[in-house]
Amino acid sequence: MRTDSPQTIYRKDYTPPSFLVDSVELGFDLDPARTVVASRIHMRHNPASTSRSIELHGEHIELVQVRLNGKLLKPSQYKLTAGMLTIPKAPDDVLLEIETVLAPQDNTSLSGLYVSNHNFFTQCEAEGFRRITFFPDRPDVMARYTVMLRADKDKYPVLLSNGNLIEEGDLGDGRHYAKWEDPFKKPSYLFALVAARLVCQEEHYRLKSGREVLLQVWVEEGNLDKTDYAMQSLKNSIRWDEERFGLELDLDRFMIVAVGDFNMGAMENKGLNIFNTKYVLANSRVATDVDYAGIEAVVGHEYFHNWTGNRVTCRDWFQLSLKEGLTVFRDQEFSADMIGTDTGRAVTRIDQVRTLRQAQFPEDAGPMAHPVRPDSFVEINNFYTVTIYEKGAEVVRMYQTLVGRDGFRKGMDLYFARHDGQAVQCDDFRAAMADANGRDFSQFERWYSQAGTPVVTASTRYDAASQTFELTLAQSCPATPGQPKKLPFHIPVTVGLLAADGRDLPLHVDGVASNGATSVVLELTEASQTFRFTQVGEVPVPSLLRDFSAPVVLEYDYTDAQLLHLFRHDSDPVNRWEAGQRLAMERLLKLTGAVAAGEPLVLDETFIAAQRALLADDTLDPAFRELALILPSETIIAERMAQVDPQAIHAARQFMRTTIAAALKPELLAQYHANQTPGEYSPDALSAGKRALKNLALSYLLIAPGAAELDLARLQFDNAGNMTDRAAALAALIHSGSQPHAQAALTSFYADFENEALVVDKWFAMQAAAPTTDVQAVRQLMAHPAFTLKNPNRARSLIFNFTNGNPSQFHAVDGSGYAFWAEQVIALDALNPQVAARLARSMDRWRRYVPALQSHMRDALEQVAGQASLSNDVMEVVSKALAN
Ligand code: B3K
Ligand code: ZN
């Protein structure tokens, strides 16, 4: 057991920095075992601060010497503690010269300066810069950087940093140098360097203004055939930000560098984005449609950060969602606009709703629940969460829903006019949106300060005599840690009314300017409010929360008939999909109860008929049909139960899938053949949608396969012209229950792709998530020569996909899954606390499980918490899980 308790940081304790930094010059002598960093920091006292002490963060580095205005400081003139170098009583103007030494090759945390496949990379967000040199490592200290890199010329021919290359040359001793200057001031978390043996695809690109910029995508040799899509996505991002938000690339050079060892997806360092290879490398042979979509989204996301994050940054890390929520919203809109069709947009929206329900709602209901702008944290890296990112994006989206696209643009323009070059708070964004639109968004602040997923309960009353339809909306929000009581939120609820023939009725709502439109945004601000629709000539079916207009749980006592009506006719595709999910969920919950009670399982013909009609409806986009046919996941079902029995959920969902597969076999086969995409591979949305529907059909056909179905899958596996189809066929074979077929395909797949790390990840991931893979099988896979805990992608592919993606095995009744989890969290923590803390989160919802499982889960959590040397990262997660 750790005896010290980690320190909690509070938002209310914010104080301005005592000294501001005007400019920094950094010199690096790069060596894996002993890198020397020399800094010259020009500082001046901050009039907003009463302190005269210079506070410089620093950890895991060795201080060689420090000079203040030319004079070497004696140890008695400063204080050096575990995380901080403090120089008291400093004068107004200061030049600090500091020399530090570090060993990048020993840095397995992948935070700070580290080595990956013999190359140097950095990751500084959130607090990695302090692992490179002593510095006020906080986002509200923005400075101009000049960087000199020196390294062996043969081993590290490429030397990159932020901004512009201003000088390079030979040092004569087998080493060379490059000097970079970033013309924009930035916080230290945006600093980056790369020293590596890499090659690049580059292109001169003309901005709308006519200025020409140099775009580069850097990868390891042998991967140049996989950079086209990232480059295309970068150009699309640049163009889109010009057109949609009037924001231009402010540098003459913009670089993306891919690295195989990386803690997350990518990083928006100014002018030098560093990416996980997963979000750069793609060609049809190795990448799936989902990978392509991920690359587009992440390239966009990091590029968009250049304005939302870099030009305007965060005052402190509590404001993280200011840049992340906004930038996720921007990348979501970018991806939707790239598809360009209404259904395409809806398909992206449905995906967002699924992510929220799969990951954010559970987070909001668990021990790590926190507001979009948290009030405290122990380890900031634990707060790069679905709440900060995805719920944060929903909060931004609600402004757009409330003020419209043009109003949103006005708000963005005002935000930049006011805050360019500043480090600001979430409140500043809210104020810009309010002021630009003449709106009062003071109540809207609660979306930032209150955690938990609000529940909106709707009830309705139709009066034929007066032709009025009354809709009452009531809201509440469950208690979350530290927040027992919540105040009402400002919730936009978009509503439509369907007639018996399925068409939208023109809407007239008392007190709301609706003018006969077919959708109206109602603003729910009280605990309960009634909205009165007039001129309603027949009993309508309400379509509530269209386009998922707010991140809430909507409850309404729909009848089956109403849901079927919406499922067939709703003009809002998101709610059409939602009606199908409600129909399925009701049945899945009943079936789960029946499994647990040992009762016979039945699935009604009405539901099957609705699925059949949808599957065969060629007027609908294949991508939409695929989404509408996917049943709510085991995790989403679990969230709806008071006591979770993962085995019962799995059995119920499997029963439903098996029944649908048997009943719809001819239709599935027909769709399988109708949605082939012959010819050259293209990742466009229509082709990807067809493949998705076809491969969903295949997975259903392989549930209880005969020889013909197995042949179908094998044929697709052998002849696939792209990874989407090959991987789908492999997954279908793995899930078919036919061991010989699955094994043969797995063996040949591995042999074909053993040199493609990202494909080997898929090979591990697919096996990890298969319900036939138990803990023992995962342990065997860990013994495979290609497995290593040191590489985050590899660890995630096998271990995370087992704990998070294979609930019926992870929650094995003997608790063996949890014991395995504890072992891996502990092992990972010794290498990489950030990744270990992510894995630790798999146990968040332990109190929801049936008592037998709970006690095993508590044991495992206590085992981890009892470790003598535990990182703050993991400590925070497990202690919050165990707290009452
Ligand atoms: N801003 C980075 C995330 C940094 C995570 C630090 N633990 C990537 C992104 O959101 O774009
Ligand atoms: Zn981001």
Side-chain angles (χ1 to χ4, degrees), residues 725-787:
D725 286 341
R726 194 176 308 277
L730 177 57
L733 287 167
I734 294 174
H735 288 249
S736 71
S738 165
Q739 273 309 100
H741 283 87
Q743 269 319 321
L746 279 164
T747 307
S748 95
F749 188 85
Y750 188 82
D752 285 347
F753 295 103
E754 63 181 321
N755 297 320
E756 298 286 353
L758 295 169
V759 184
V760 174
D761 290 338
K762 295 184 200 303
W763 184 82
F764 279 112
M766 277 188 252
Q767 296 181 76
T772 43
T773 302
D774 59 12
V775 184
Q776 212 31 54
V778 177
R779 287 188 192 277
Q780 266 164 33
L781 283 166
M782 284 184 75
H784 190 280
F787 185 79

Side-chain angles (χ1 to χ4, degrees), residues 28-32 34-35 113 120 149-151 156 159 193 195:
F28 286 85
D29 282 292
L30 291 157
D31 181 297
R34 192 173 190 280
T35 289
L113 176 64
F120 290 100
L149 304 173
R150 286 178 288 262
Y156 314 106
L159 303 175
L193 76 78

